Amino acid sequence: LAKTTQPISMDSYEGQEVNITCSHNNIATNDYITWYQQFPSQGPRFIIQGYKTKVTNEVASLFIPADRKSSTLSLPRVSLSDTAVYYCLVGPPLDTGRRALTFGSGTRLQVQP
Amino acid sequence: EAGVVQSPRYKIIEKKQPVAFWCNPISGHNTLYWYRQNLGQGPELLIRYENEEAVDDSQLPKDRFSAERLKGVDSTLKIQPAELGDSAVYLCASSLVGGTAKNTEAFFGQGTRLTVV
């Protein structure tokens, strides 16, 4: 199982763009990169998933270089409500392989006014 | 559509007492997971069900933990007897595995915060 490394914490201000980078040097060919968000007293929530290049949805963008050994979650113009823990997960899709999510310790993002 | 529902939200018990958590997954989801989350850490898988079958319980401490998913819908996780180190948030999640749509995510409940004193 590919190990992920991400910063323990990050600070930002409202309106800024936040980029959280995750390293996954041992990513396997059939692994996808998935990001989850967790607010205090809630369960994690899916944000975005990608395999290569760039993926964008209404919440975030995910940038994956050609070697796929790292990925960057980009949150445009953050607000106070984006304060949360962000988890980078690497593994096969839930309908293949291990079929379960493996979480690390995540990145605690604090957005200041 | 209702999400994953867990109860109770909070539970405080004395050590050596039993405790049970209940989970109602999203309707139609065939896969159900129980995770445990310690303070400041990410969730750790305890057990995964596909329909009513426990297909991965390698991380479940079987001496005191048990789980069941009757009829492949609701699930119960039990601890007996509880220890101080069991204090954590217990999260239930569900997903739809298989079918024609590519599965992308699991949906989590709000969790049950257990405090053992």
Side-chain angles (χ1 to χ4, degrees), chain B:
Chain B
E1 179 184 345
V4 176
V5 179
Q6 292 187 245
S7 68
R9 285 296 314 277
Y10 305 92
K11 190 73 176 180
I12 302 174
I13 61 170
E14 294 182 344
K15 62 181 180 182
K16 301 184 181 179
Q17 294 301 308
V19 65
F21 315 123
W22 175 80
C23 173
N24 178 233
I26 292 175
S27 177
H29 280 192
N30 52 5
T31 303
L32 183 145
Y33 316 79
W34 282 102
Y35 283 83
R36 177 171 60 189
Q37 185 171 26
N38 292 310
L39 189 64
Q41 299 182 20
E44 298 174 305
L45 180 70
L46 291 174
I47 189 169
R48 173 171 64 91
Y49 283 92
E50 288 186 9
N51 299 305
E52 63 274 8
E53 181 183 0
V55 295
D56 183 359
D57 63 355
S58 57
Q59 302 301 314
L60 189 72
K62 298 181 183 63
D63 57 336
R64 298 183 299 106
F65 286 65
S66 64
E68 61 181 9
R69 190 184 185 197
L70 299 177
K71 301 181 181 178
V73 182
D74 293 359
S75 179
T76 303
L77 178 68
K78 298 179 181 178
I79 308 175
Q80 182 172 12
E83 297 178 352
L84 296 177
D86 296 330
S87 295
V89 175
Y90 291 83
L91 293 161
C92 178
S94 70
S95 66
L96 178 60
V97 173
T100 57
K102 186 175 184 63
N103 177 273
T104 59
E105 61 183 294
F107 296 82
F108 285 79
Q110 290 185 298
T112 296
R113 182 178 297 276
L114 173 67
T115 302
V116 182
V117 297

